Amino acid sequence: MVIPVHDVNPVRRTPYVTYALIAASVFVFLFMPGLAGSVAGDSSLAQYCHLQAFLDQYAVVPRELIHHQLPRLVPTGDVAVGPQGAGCLVGPPGYDKSPELSVLTAMFLHGGWLHLLGNMLFLLIFGNNIEDRMGHVPFAIFYGVCGYAATYGFAFLNDGSADPLIGASGAIAGVLGAYLVLYPKARVWVLVPFLVFLPLRLPAWLVLGFWFVLQAVYSSGTGVADAGTVAYAAHIVGFLAGMVIAWPLRRGTPPPPEPRGLLFGRQARPRHTWG
C-alpha cells in the first residue's frame, strides 16, 4: 500500500494533544516489560512470560470485555518447569482488572517497532488537522470515543476470543475517517512502492479511500497472511465512527490549499510546511 509522508494542509495552532498521544505511546512502548529484551535480540522465556503477564493485565480481551468473564488463572510473569518442560507460571490474579478501562490502556500498547511507528506516522500526519478543526479537548475526547467504538466493535464480532488486543489503530482509523470527511481534497504526499519508492501527491480521498478498501479486503482474510493477528475489523469500525462524528463539522471547515495535478519525481518536492 502507499506510505503517507505528509499532507499539504497547514494548521493554525500547535497540535499539543497529537504530540502528547505520540509521546505517551512511545514512552509506554519503551518501558513495556519484555520488549526491551526482544528488541536487543533476547527472546528468552522469562522475557516472554513477563510480557504475557503484563498484557493479560492491561490489554483488551474480547471475552472479558463482552461477557465480563475474568480468568481465575493468569500468567504471573515467572517461569516454571512442569512435566512438559519449562513454561510460564500461572496463578490467581493479584490485581483487579476492569475490562472497560483496559480499552483505554490498550490504546497505548504496541506489539513492535513497526506497529508503533506505523500508527504514530498516520497520527502525526492526519491528527494535527483534526485537532486543529475540533480543538484540543474535543479532539482528545474524539480520539478516545473512536478507540472505544473500534474496540467494542471488534470484541462483539469476536466475543469468544481470549487473545489480547492492543494498539492505537482503531482510534487512529477514526482520525482518518474524520480527515476523509473534512478534507477530502487535501493533497497528501505518499511513497508508492514501484520498483523503487515513487513520491506522488494524491488527493486525500484517494489515499484514505484506498486504505479503507484494503482494511475491508484484509478483514475477510483475502490477500494477507496475518488476518488473524491484525484487528482489521476494528480499523473499519473506528474509521466509520470517525466519519459519523466529523460529518456535522463539514459545513464551516475551511478548505485546504488545492494544488492542481499529480506530480512525481523531482518535480514533486514539497514547498509547504509539514501537515
Side-chain angles (χ1 to χ4, degrees):
M1 62 176 296
V2 299
I3 303 173
V5 179
H6 70 92
D7 62 342
V8 186
N9 195 1
V11 296
R12 300 166 297 173
R13 48 190 161 188
T14 304
Y16 293 113
V17 174
T18 298
Y19 292 159
L21 290 171
I22 294 174
S25 297
V26 173
F27 178 84
V28 170
F29 177 79
L30 292 177
F31 289 93
M32 278 183 63
L35 281 182
S38 63
V39 171
D42 178 12
S43 56
S44 67
L45 180 59
Q47 291 281 357
Y48 173 79
C49 293
H50 200 186
L51 179 59
Q52 289 302 306
F54 178 83
L55 293 179
D56 188 83
Q57 182 174 359
Y58 294 106
V60 176
V61 177
R63 186 169 61 190
E64 297 175 359
L65 186 62
I66 302 303
H67 302 293
H68 225 274
Q69 297 177 351
L70 299 178
R72 291 184 296 177
L73 297 176
V74 298
T76 64
D78 297 323
V79 177
V81 179
Q84 299 181 350
C88 297
L89 180 67
V90 297
Y95 52 83
D96 293 325
K97 180 178 181 180
S98 168
E100 295 77 17
L101 184 60
S102 69
V103 178
L104 178 61
T105 57
M107 291 185 203
F108 295 93
L109 306 180
H110 292 83
W113 281 107
L114 288 179
H115 189 201
L116 172 71
L117 295 178
N119 275 347
M120 296 305 102
L121 176 63
F122 275 82
L123 179 57
L124 178 64
I125 294 173
F126 301 105
N128 59 350
N129 291 107
I130 305 305
E131 180 179 350
D132 186 56
R133 178 64 181 89
M134 293 184 173
H136 303 306
V137 174
F139 173 73
I141 297 174
F142 165 81
Y143 186 87
V145 168
C146 289
Y148 267 82
T151 302
Y152 268 93
F154 178 83
F156 274 116
L157 295 174
N158 301 271
D159 62 333
S161 174
D163 296 328
L165 179 65
I166 59 175
S169 303
I172 295 172
V175 172
L176 303 186
Y179 197 100
L180 178 61
V181 167
L182 299 178
Y183 304 105
K185 296 182 179 180
R187 290 299 194 261
V188 180
W189 289 91
V190 300
L191 297 177
V192 180
F194 184 76
L195 299 180
V196 295
F197 283 103
L198 185 67
L200 291 175
R201 185 180 65 199
L202 303 175
W205 66 264
L206 181 60
V207 175
L208 300 179
F210 180 65
W211 181 89
F212 180 78
V213 170
L214 280 181
Q215 306 311 301
V217 172
Y218 290 164
S219 67
S220 67
T222 304
V224 62
D226 60 350
T229 60
V230 179
Y232 293 109
H235 302 173
I236 295 174
V237 175
F239 191 91
L240 295 176
M243 291 185 67
V244 171
I245 296 173
W247 194 266
L249 300 177
R250 287 197 318 152
R251 183 173 299 178
T253 299
E258 190 177 351
R260 297 181 178 275
L262 304 179
L263 302 182
F264 61 90
R266 297 182 62 183
Q267 296 179 356
R269 291 178 180 175
R271 299 180 181 178
H272 297 269
T273 57
W274 284 74

